[in-house]
Amino acid sequence: MKTLQDYIDKLNALNFKDMYENDFFLTWDKTDNELEAIWVLADALRFMREHNISTKIFESGLGISIFRDNSTRTRFSFASACNLLGLQVQDLDEKKSQIAHGETVRETANMISFMADVIGIRDDMYIGKGHTYQKEVVDSVTQGYKDGILEQKPTLVNLQCDIDHPTQCMADAAHIIHEMGGLENLKGKKIAMTWAYSPSYGKPLSVPQGVIGLMTRLGMNVVLAHPEGYEVMPDVVDVAKKNAEKSGGSFRITHDMADAFKDADVVYPKSWAPFAAMEKRTNLYAAGDQAGIDALEQELLAQNAQHKDWCCTEELMKTTKDGKAMYLHCLPADINGVSCEDGEVEASVFDRYRDSLYKEASYKPYVIAAMIMLAKCQDPAQTLKALEERGILRKMK
Amino acid sequence: MKTLQDYIDKLNALNFKDMYENDFFLTWDKTDNELEAIWVLADALRFMREHNISTKIFESGLGISIFRDNSTRTRFSFASACNLLGLQVQDLDEKKSQIAHGETVRETANMISFMADVIGIRDDMYIGKGHTYQKEVVDSVTQGYKDGILEQKPTLVNLQCDIDHPTQCMADAAHIIHEMGGLENLKGKKIAMTWAYSPSYGKPLSVPQGVIGLMTRLGMNVVLAHPEGYEVMPDVVDVAKKNAEKSGGSFRITHDMADAFKDADVVYPKSWAPFAAMEKRTNLYAAGDQAGIDALEQELLAQNAQHKDWCCTEELMKTTKDGKAMYLHCLPADINGVSCEDGEVEASVFDRYRDSLYKEASYKPYVIAAMIMLAKCQDPAQTLKALEERGILRKMK
Amino acid sequence: MKTLQDYIDKLNALNFKDMYENDFFLTWDKTDNELEAIWVLADALRFMREHNISTKIFESGLGISIFRDNSTRTRFSFASACNLLGLQVQDLDEKKSQIAHGETVRETANMISFMADVIGIRDDMYIGKGHTYQKEVVDSVTQGYKDGILEQKPTLVNLQCDIDHPTQCMADAAHIIHEMGGLENLKGKKIAMTWAYSPSYGKPLSVPQGVIGLMTRLGMNVVLAHPEGYEVMPDVVDVAKKNAEKSGGSFRITHDMADAFKDADVVYPKSWAPFAAMEKRTNLYAAGDQAGIDALEQELLAQNAQHKDWCCTEELMKTTKDGKAMYLHCLPADINGVSCEDGEVEASVFDRYRDSLYKEASYKPYVIAAMIMLAKCQDPAQTLKALEERGILRKMK
């Protein structure tokens, strides 16, 4: 693509009118056209930034972030996206504000939203909680808007929940699309979403779940690989199966890493915790049973230790398509001999793909900005045109 | 009102020229015209935002916030107000900067103010301290400005001190004015500012004090109700008395909640700590007497527990004017069976007024923005006109 | 100077083209012309702000701050500088993001920089670490830019490292230049950079090192005074010697505070820790030897206590040029009878110079803004012209 008009034309060929004033919870809530609109708009915003054209559509407005877990990458991606569009990030630090669930979610959600155009939430720690909390926030501000309390309904961007990690997976997909030269080229390609050993335990399930829920949409042959006992959420497995049927791709589960890597075009080896264990942990946490949590942790670490052979080695990489599959990771990775003794990936593999991994991450701010803009502008193609005509430089020379 | 010109005309009929380059400590420092200018300008800014007209009067500049107590509502209100006008909030986290009183207040105040247009301070914890600290900050930056150290004098906005909570009470009043259809309609109306039971103790006095200090200005019949022993600051009682005399309203104190609620047009039931106890606590704190503080806490909790019957019940609400007085609260409220067993208000009462309470809170960002603009623009009516003529959209469509 | 054109003409007479897309680590990395460009541009930006002309050259973009030590002054200076140019500050709180050295510096540096135009780092705690870390960050983002991961290379501003504190020393120099009526008037003037007693220990060496490394450039007669055993980094002493030779100034070390003060035009009395001790401490820290660190601390405090007579007294001030040398400090100072019993300076001396000290500090935001602009604009003189012609007010009237 060479001109902004190319992106505008692409957008105009898509139907995404339901995204206006809507929210982003899960990729499988959205139509194919809607997902494509995100990728096209993300590319358009990147094109404009590269050409030093300001994409500031807000003169004022807040982007609220709620991080219920430590975060660097997603925090900076969200801040970058908000800033690119003209919103100022205001972090809701729950430690400073003693917010509890129940009635007060509704209250707090409204109290912080008087001038909020977007709310980004990361809440991935407990099964059955994160997505529910995000829904509760959206219901609250939607009601507040209908009742005339809020002058605008802030749009929710799911920055990771217990079910999906859409900003990550949409960025992953954007990277694959660019590397493969177009969305249509993903059809029939094999992607291996595989478990890998990590000395830590309890990593969220949202990445593998998000990947199998999204990539099956794109006509890919998706293989989910993990040792027995490391099952992901059954509902998402069902989503993946249905998606594959509809898209003409395929979905299967294997307990053999080599099987998954064999002839794969893309590999995504990454640790996660078993869904059943995470559910158990959530219940222990709710019951305040710290001894039970500690025991479970030991159990899980011992279980993990039996699978140190689940590592993305040079040897395995050689078995992929032409020995050079794309290697994906949401970062940070557990790298053998670098960040740990045994981990998810051999150092030489990681090093070879470092640039590619950073490039993969670089799509996230644009994906988030596109999600916001699609919820906030009734005709984003028209807005892009107006921005180009306005011609304000992002940075004076 | 239908057009921006209506607000401009209203502003032009008022005299508030002394607010320019001035500060906001207490409502009773200000003239009636000055308070009215805040309400009119707050409404004008809200009108403009609702009509998607940017009110960004600053291209750069910082809004410094200093919170000496946890805060969500006020923090976001201040951030929203600053953002609406184009200022970037920079929080002075005193834990990260080890600031002490004395000489260093003067130093720090100047060091953070080189590009600060506004400083918002919340310091409500200790009797005799908060207001004093705010004065010290203002004296410091005023001197700094006179001495040519600062290129502008940042304006202070009191975000709550030990004496008054003007941004809250001005927002409360804005809400009443809108509900009653105009400032003039408040004359002769009865408002009950009453103590209510809460399982916590030591809640600030600034809200009841702010309410009796402000509402007596507006020709209202203000009744302050509390159990014996829960007196507020005597100086503020004097202020309320004098205000009532001057405005043609009235002010009285009762120790009977039912008496206060009877035929009231507005009720504001809320817990607070006795002034004398808070003074004692401040002295114990200064003396480093932790055992004394703990003993006082137990004493106060026991004292509170004798007054669980001070609750805003359905029964009491029925005795108000036509059984449907406005119910106000600064939030969060202690709600029976929701956030505590026994609290300030019955759940069904709170639920019925929820929308109204959120609406009440929604005025705060605009009140703060109006306070800033009145201190920063020599002719705010003219500035509104210029903003309208400039016609920049807050959000592109 | 009276008009912006005067500053523009001054800039046009200087050669600073290598600053474009470059970084700022140490003043002695820069040519005389380059340093002068910073002072001229800082003055120009201040002139524009005083004349209410917006200097916002960025419509969007982040200014990342990394503070590995508590900070108020530098934090607000950096925030002010970024805001003045249109960048939004995003703080990388390493506690929230668990960043380690090694591979992850490279990764994190890229992950936070997708939309970062500047990175400001303060890392002054450990000898041999701060500067190295800053270099590592710059190498990482430079590589990221070359590899097409980043769309721009963020510029680094050293907000204090173990070697130099350039934003402080450049602000100090700006203050002297203004007080003396021009850069050329510093030639032949005597400046005493002297150690002074403080009840704390382990204060960074970056200020004395920065001062001797910079002031020797300006033709000044620089005297470094400290008790035996309080030597600064030998490499920087070498830098100072060479600079003095080249500039026609002089540099010498004395162990006699009176000798340094005698006829001095400028005095800068300030505590610091011995370089050798700080090196030892860094090694103990690396070895995790807490007992060793505690023992060293006691040793250093005992050593300090032998030099309580190293204080900037009225008596000593009388011996300076005409008894009224300029008195500099980076603040906060340890003031006798105010912030400590015995400290760096007598209260009456400090009080007399308070305004001057605050003025000194006021240059820092402008110095930082100038550093950023020189790295980001290819022809800053032209940019100033364009800003003036654009004529957007910083604050509407």
Side-chain angles (χ1 to χ4, degrees):
Chain A
M1 296 204 194
K2 291 293 164 48
T3 71
L4 188 61
Q5 191 58 45
D6 297 323
Y7 299 99
I8 291 172
D9 293 344
K10 272 213 159 190
L11 278 178
N12 282 332
L14 298 168
N15 174 8
F16 48 83
K17 63 178 192 306
D18 288 347
M19 298 184 90
Y20 182 57
E21 301 203 331
N22 213 324
D23 302 282
F24 206 107
F25 293 104
L26 309 168
T27 60
W28 45 93
D29 291 337
K30 303 293 172 190
T31 68
D32 291 352
N33 265 216
E34 288 171 352
L35 297 184
E36 195 173 346
I38 291 171
W39 291 313
V40 173
L41 185 52
D43 282 352
L45 291 169
R46 187 165 200 151
F47 175 91
M48 292 175 83
R49 195 174 191 284
E50 284 170 356
H51 288 78
N52 200 25
I53 303 165
S54 169
T55 52
K56 198 165 153 183
I57 60 171
F58 296 97
E59 277 291 298
S60 71
L62 299 181
I64 312 287
S65 60
I66 305 179
F67 283 92
R68 301 186 138 183
D69 199 358
N70 281 343
S71 171
T72 304
R73 283 151 191 79
T74 303
R75 186 181 286 277
F76 274 78
S77 290
F78 183 71
S80 297
C82 285
N83 174 261
L84 184 68
L85 300 178
L87 297 173
Q88 189 167 330
V89 170
Q90 184 69 13
D91 192 45
L92 176 63
D93 185 334
E94 294 182 299
K95 275 167 231 142
K96 290 188 185 170
S97 52
Q98 300 155 311
I99 288 154
H101 277 260
E103 282 304 300
T104 46
V105 170
R106 182 165 166 195
E107 192 164 303
T108 306
N110 275 281
M111 293 301 116
I112 62 176
S113 296
F114 295 129
M115 298 198 188
D117 288 292
V118 56
I119 302 178
I121 301 180
R122 176 171 180 176
D123 184 351
D124 56 4
M125 299 286 277
Y126 298 107
I127 294 297
K129 305 289 183 193
H131 178 63
T132 308
Y133 173 67
Q134 294 184 2
K135 280 277 184 195
E136 207 177 345
V137 168
V138 167
D139 289 348
S140 300
V141 295
T142 303
Q143 192 61 44
Y145 178 57
K146 280 184 191 159
D147 293 343
I149 291 153
L150 303 181
E151 279 140 34
Q152 73 295 317
K153 190 195 81 68
T155 189
L156 178 116
V157 174
N158 172 7
L159 298 176
Q160 190 167 1
C161 71
D162 51 323
I163 302 176
D164 194 5
H165 192 345
T167 63
Q168 178 66 45
C169 299
M170 288 295 289
D172 296 339
H175 181 50
I176 303 175
I177 293 167
H178 277 267
E179 292 292 311
M180 296 196 173
L183 182 54
E184 61 285 1
N185 297 335
L186 276 63
K187 283 191 195 300
K189 296 293 195 304
K190 178 178 179 181
I191 178 169
M193 177 74 239
T194 104
W195 191 87
Y197 172 74
S198 156
S200 80
Y201 85 104
K203 297 206 173 175
L205 292 142
S206 51
V207 168
Q209 292 174 171
V211 166
I212 64 169
L214 176 61
M215 303 306 173
T216 47
R217 300 279 290 275
L218 313 177
M220 299 187 87
N221 297 316
V222 179
V223 181
L224 176 68
H226 56 76
E228 290 195 55
Y230 286 81
E231 281 71 25
V232 302
M233 202 175 264
D235 289 355
V236 182
V237 168
D238 288 344
V239 166
K241 282 178 187 165
K242 280 176 199 154
N243 285 348
E245 265 173 50
K246 209 177 149 191
S247 76
S250 67
F251 175 71
R252 68 182 175 92
I253 298 174
T254 177
H255 300 313
D256 178 355
M257 199 177 185
D259 170 24
F261 266 59
K262 176 87 181 122
D263 293 325
D265 298 279
V266 185
V267 297
Y268 204 139
K270 197 208 160 299
S271 181
W272 68 79
F275 173 64
M278 285 300 93
E279 225 175 4
K280 197 172 164 188
R281 186 165 173 271
T282 298
N283 295 335
L284 290 167
Y285 187 83
D289 182 354
Q290 188 58 48
I293 291 173
D294 293 345
L296 178 64
E297 182 176 333
Q298 290 311 313
E299 200 182 296
L300 288 170
L301 286 171
Q303 186 184 354
N304 273 8
Q306 293 168 15
H307 305 293
K308 290 196 180 176
D309 54 324
W310 284 70
C311 177
C312 180
T313 59
E314 289 287 7
E315 205 177 340
L316 268 176
M317 285 304 291
K318 276 180 197 148
T319 70
T320 65
K321 186 64 159 290
D322 301 330
K324 39 186 189 181
M326 287 180 71
Y327 163 81
L328 302 188
H329 200 286
C330 53
L331 303 178
D334 286 316
I335 307 163
N336 295 8
V338 176
S339 46
C340 56
E341 199 175 333
D342 296 303
E344 298 168 318
V345 60
E346 284 183 1
S348 62
V349 174
F350 188 86
D351 274 344
R352 194 163 64 250
Y353 286 94
R354 184 185 299 278
D355 278 1
S356 177
L357 288 161
Y358 293 179
K359 192 81 186 173
E360 176 187 355
S362 76
Y363 290 101
K364 202 189 275 183
Y366 293 103
V367 160
I368 297 173
M371 288 175 177
I372 297 172
M373 197 164 160
L374 285 159
K376 289 295 169 180
C377 296
Q378 195 153 16
D379 185 350
Q382 184 60 36
T383 310
L384 292 181
K385 196 77 202 157
L387 284 166
E388 189 181 42
E389 278 163 11
R390 190 178 71 176
I392 295 176
L393 301 183
R394 182 191 80 80
K395 176 180 79 69
M396 285 175 76
K397 276 161 197 175
Chain B
M1 294 204 193
K2 292 293 164 49
T3 69
L4 188 61
Q5 191 58 46
D6 297 323
Y7 299 98
I8 291 172
D9 292 343
K10 272 213 157 189
L11 278 178
N12 282 331
L14 298 168
N15 175 6
F16 49 83
K17 61 180 193 304
D18 288 348
M19 298 184 90
Y20 182 57
E21 301 203 330
N22 213 324
D23 302 281
F24 206 106
F25 292 103
L26 308 169
T27 60
W28 44 93
D29 291 339
K30 303 293 172 191
T31 68
D32 290 352
N33 265 215
E34 289 170 352
L35 296 184
E36 196 173 345
I38 291 171
W39 291 312
V40 173
L41 185 52
D43 281 352
L45 290 170
R46 187 164 200 152
F47 175 91
M48 293 176 82
R49 194 174 192 285
E50 284 170 356
H51 288 79
N52 201 25
I53 304 165
S54 169
T55 53
K56 198 165 152 183
I57 60 172
F58 296 97
E59 277 291 299
S60 71
L62 299 182
I64 313 287
S65 61
I66 306 179
F67 283 92
R68 299 185 140 185
D69 199 357
N70 280 343
S71 171
T72 305
R73 285 153 190 78
T74 303
R75 185 181 286 277
F76 274 78
S77 290
F78 183 71
S80 298
C82 285
N83 174 259
L84 184 70
L85 300 178
L87 297 173
Q88 188 166 330
V89 170
Q90 184 71 14
D91 192 47
L92 176 63
D93 185 335
E94 294 181 301
K95 275 166 230 141
K96 289 188 184 169
S97 54
Q98 301 154 311
I99 290 153
H101 277 261
E103 282 302 301
T104 46
V105 170
R106 181 165 167 196
E107 191 164 303
T108 306
N110 276 281
M111 293 302 115
I112 62 176
S113 296
F114 295 129
M115 298 200 187
D117 287 292
V118 56
I119 302 178
I121 302 179
R122 176 171 180 176
D123 184 350
D124 55 5
M125 299 286 277
Y126 299 106
I127 295 296
K129 305 288 183 194
H131 178 64
T132 307
Y133 172 67
Q134 293 184 3
K135 281 276 184 197
E136 206 176 344
V137 168
V138 167
D139 288 348
S140 300
V141 295
T142 303
Q143 192 61 43
Y145 179 57
K146 281 185 190 158
D147 293 343
I149 291 154
L150 303 180
E151 279 141 34
Q152 73 296 317
K153 189 194 83 67
T155 188
L156 178 114
V157 175
N158 171 6
L159 297 177
Q160 189 168 0
C161 72
D162 51 323
I163 302 176
D164 194 5
H165 192 345
T167 63
Q168 178 66 45
C169 299
M170 288 295 288
D172 296 338
H175 182 48
I176 303 175
I177 292 167
H178 277 267
E179 292 293 311
M180 296 197 174
L183 183 53
E184 60 286 0
N185 296 336
L186 275 64
K187 282 191 196 298
K189 294 295 193 307
K190 178 177 179 182
I191 178 169
M193 176 74 238
T194 104
W195 191 86
Y197 172 74
S198 156
S200 80
Y201 85 103
K203 296 205 175 178
L205 292 142
S206 50
V207 168
Q209 292 173 171
V211 166
I212 64 170
L214 176 62
M215 303 308 174
T216 47
R217 300 280 290 273
L218 312 177
M220 298 186 88
N221 296 317
V222 178
V223 181
L224 176 68
H226 56 74
E228 289 195 56
Y230 286 81
E231 281 71 25
V232 302
M233 201 176 263
D235 289 356
V236 182
V237 169
D238 288 345
V239 165
K241 283 179 187 162
K242 280 177 198 153
N243 285 348
E245 267 173 49
K246 209 176 148 191
S247 76
S250 68
F251 176 72
R252 68 182 176 91
I253 297 174
T254 177
H255 300 312
D256 178 355
M257 199 175 184
D259 170 25
F261 266 60
K262 177 88 181 120
D263 292 325
D265 298 278
V266 185
V267 297
Y268 204 139
K270 199 209 159 297
S271 180
W272 68 79
F275 173 65
M278 285 300 93
E279 225 176 4
K280 198 171 163 188
R281 186 165 172 272
T282 299
N283 295 334
L284 290 167
Y285 188 83
D289 182 354
Q290 188 58 45
I293 291 173
D294 293 345
L296 178 64
E297 182 175 334
Q298 290 311 312
E299 199 183 297
L300 288 170
L301 286 171
Q303 186 184 354
N304 273 7
Q306 293 168 15
H307 305 293
K308 289 196 181 177
D309 54 324
W310 285 69
C311 178
C312 180
T313 60
E314 289 287 7
E315 206 177 338
L316 268 176
M317 285 304 291
K318 276 182 197 146
T319 70
T320 65
K321 186 65 158 291
D322 302 330
K324 40 186 189 181
M326 288 179 70
Y327 163 81
L328 302 188
H329 200 285
C330 53
L331 302 179
D334 287 315
I335 307 163
N336 295 10
V338 177
S339 46
C340 56
E341 199 176 330
D342 297 302
E344 298 169 318
V345 59
E346 283 183 0
S348 63
V349 174
F350 188 86
D351 272 345
R352 195 163 63 251
Y353 287 94
R354 183 185 299 278
D355 278 1
S356 177
L357 287 161
Y358 292 179
K359 192 81 187 173
E360 176 188 354
S362 75
Y363 291 101
K364 202 189 273 183
Y366 293 102
V367 160
I368 297 173
M371 288 174 176
I372 297 172
M373 198 165 158
L374 285 159
K376 289 295 169 181
C377 297
Q378 195 153 16
D379 185 351
Q382 183 60 37
T383 311
L384 292 181
K385 195 78 202 155
L387 284 167
E388 189 181 42
E389 280 164 9
R390 190 178 69 175
I392 295 175
L393 301 182
R394 182 191 80 82
K395 176 180 79 69
M396 286 176 75
K397 278 164 194 170
Chain C
M1 294 204 195
K2 290 294 163 50
T3 68
L4 187 62
Q5 191 59 46
D6 296 324
Y7 299 98
I8 291 172
D9 292 345
K10 272 214 159 190
L11 278 178
N12 282 333
L14 298 167
N15 174 7
F16 48 85
K17 62 179 193 302
D18 288 348
M19 298 183 91
Y20 181 58
E21 302 202 330
N22 214 324
D23 302 281
F24 206 106
F25 292 104
L26 309 168
T27 60
W28 45 94
D29 291 339
K30 302 293 171 191
T31 69
D32 291 353
N33 265 215
E34 289 170 352
L35 297 184
E36 195 173 348
I38 291 171
W39 291 313
V40 173
L41 185 52
D43 282 353
L45 290 169
R46 188 165 201 152
F47 174 91
M48 293 176 83
R49 195 174 190 284
E50 285 169 356
H51 289 78
N52 200 26
I53 303 166
S54 168
T55 52
K56 197 165 153 184
I57 59 171
F58 296 97
E59 278 290 298
S60 72
L62 299 181
I64 312 287
S65 61
I66 305 178
F67 283 92
R68 300 186 139 183
D69 199 359
N70 282 342
S71 170
T72 303
R73 285 152 189 79
T74 304
R75 186 181 287 277
F76 274 77
S77 291
F78 183 70
S80 297
C82 284
N83 175 260
L84 184 70
L85 300 178
L87 297 173
Q88 188 166 331
V89 171
Q90 184 70 14
D91 193 46
L92 176 63
D93 185 335
E94 294 181 301
K95 275 167 230 138
K96 290 188 185 169
S97 54
Q98 301 155 310
I99 290 154
H101 277 260
E103 282 303 300
T104 47
V105 170
R106 181 164 167 196
E107 192 164 304
T108 305
N110 275 281
M111 293 302 115
I112 62 177
S113 296
F114 295 129
M115 298 198 187
D117 287 292
V118 56
I119 302 177
I121 301 178
R122 177 172 179 176
D123 184 351
D124 56 5
M125 299 286 277
Y126 299 106
I127 294 297
K129 304 290 183 193
H131 178 65
T132 307
Y133 172 66
Q134 294 184 3
K135 281 277 185 197
E136 207 177 343
V137 168
V138 167
D139 289 349
S140 300
V141 295
T142 303
Q143 192 62 42
Y145 178 58
K146 279 184 191 159
D147 293 343
I149 291 153
L150 304 180
E151 279 140 35
Q152 73 295 318
K153 189 195 82 68
T155 188
L156 179 116
V157 175
N158 172 6
L159 297 176
Q160 190 168 0
C161 71
D162 52 323
I163 302 176
D164 194 5
H165 193 346
T167 64
Q168 178 66 46
C169 300
M170 288 296 289
D172 297 338
H175 181 49
I176 303 175
I177 292 167
H178 277 266
E179 292 293 311
M180 296 196 173
L183 182 54
E184 59 286 1
N185 297 336
L186 276 64
K187 283 192 195 299
K189 297 292 195 306
K190 178 178 179 182
I191 178 169
M193 176 73 239
T194 105
W195 191 86
Y197 172 75
S198 156
S200 81
Y201 85 103
K203 295 204 175 179
L205 292 142
S206 50
V207 169
Q209 291 174 172
V211 167
I212 64 169
L214 176 61
M215 303 307 175
T216 47
R217 299 280 289 275
L218 312 178
M220 298 187 87
N221 296 318
V222 179
V223 181
L224 176 68
H226 56 75
E228 289 195 56
Y230 285 81
E231 281 72 25
V232 302
M233 202 177 263
D235 288 355
V236 182
V237 169
D238 288 345
V239 166
K241 283 178 186 163
K242 280 177 198 154
N243 286 347
E245 268 174 47
K246 210 177 149 190
S247 76
S250 67
F251 175 72
R252 67 182 175 92
I253 297 174
T254 177
H255 300 312
D256 178 354
M257 198 174 184
D259 171 24
F261 266 59
K262 177 88 181 117
D263 293 324
D265 298 278
V266 185
V267 296
Y268 205 139
K270 200 211 158 294
S271 180
W272 67 79
F275 174 64
M278 285 300 94
E279 225 177 4
K280 198 173 163 188
R281 186 166 172 271
T282 299
N283 295 335
L284 290 167
Y285 187 83
D289 183 353
Q290 189 58 46
I293 291 173
D294 293 344
L296 178 64
E297 182 175 333
Q298 291 310 314
E299 199 182 297
L300 288 170
L301 286 171
Q303 185 184 354
N304 274 7
Q306 293 169 15
H307 305 293
K308 289 196 181 177
D309 54 324
W310 284 69
C311 178
C312 180
T313 60
E314 289 288 7
E315 206 177 337
L316 267 176
M317 286 305 291
K318 276 182 198 145
T319 69
T320 66
K321 185 65 158 291
D322 301 330
K324 39 185 188 180
M326 288 180 70
Y327 163 81
L328 302 187
H329 200 285
C330 54
L331 302 178
D334 287 316
I335 307 164
N336 295 9
V338 177
S339 46
C340 55
E341 199 176 331
D342 296 302
E344 298 168 321
V345 60
E346 284 184 358
S348 62
V349 174
F350 188 85
D351 272 343
R352 194 163 63 251
Y353 287 94
R354 184 185 299 276
D355 278 2
S356 177
L357 287 161
Y358 292 179
K359 192 82 185 172
E360 176 188 355
S362 76
Y363 290 101
K364 203 190 273 184
Y366 293 103
V367 160
I368 297 173
M371 287 174 177
I372 297 172
M373 198 166 157
L374 286 160
K376 289 295 169 181
C377 296
Q378 195 152 15
D379 185 351
Q382 183 60 34
T383 310
L384 292 181
K385 196 77 202 155
L387 285 166
E388 189 181 42
E389 280 164 9
R390 191 178 69 176
I392 295 176
L393 301 183
R394 183 192 79 82
K395 176 180 78 69
M396 285 175 75
K397 276 164 197 171

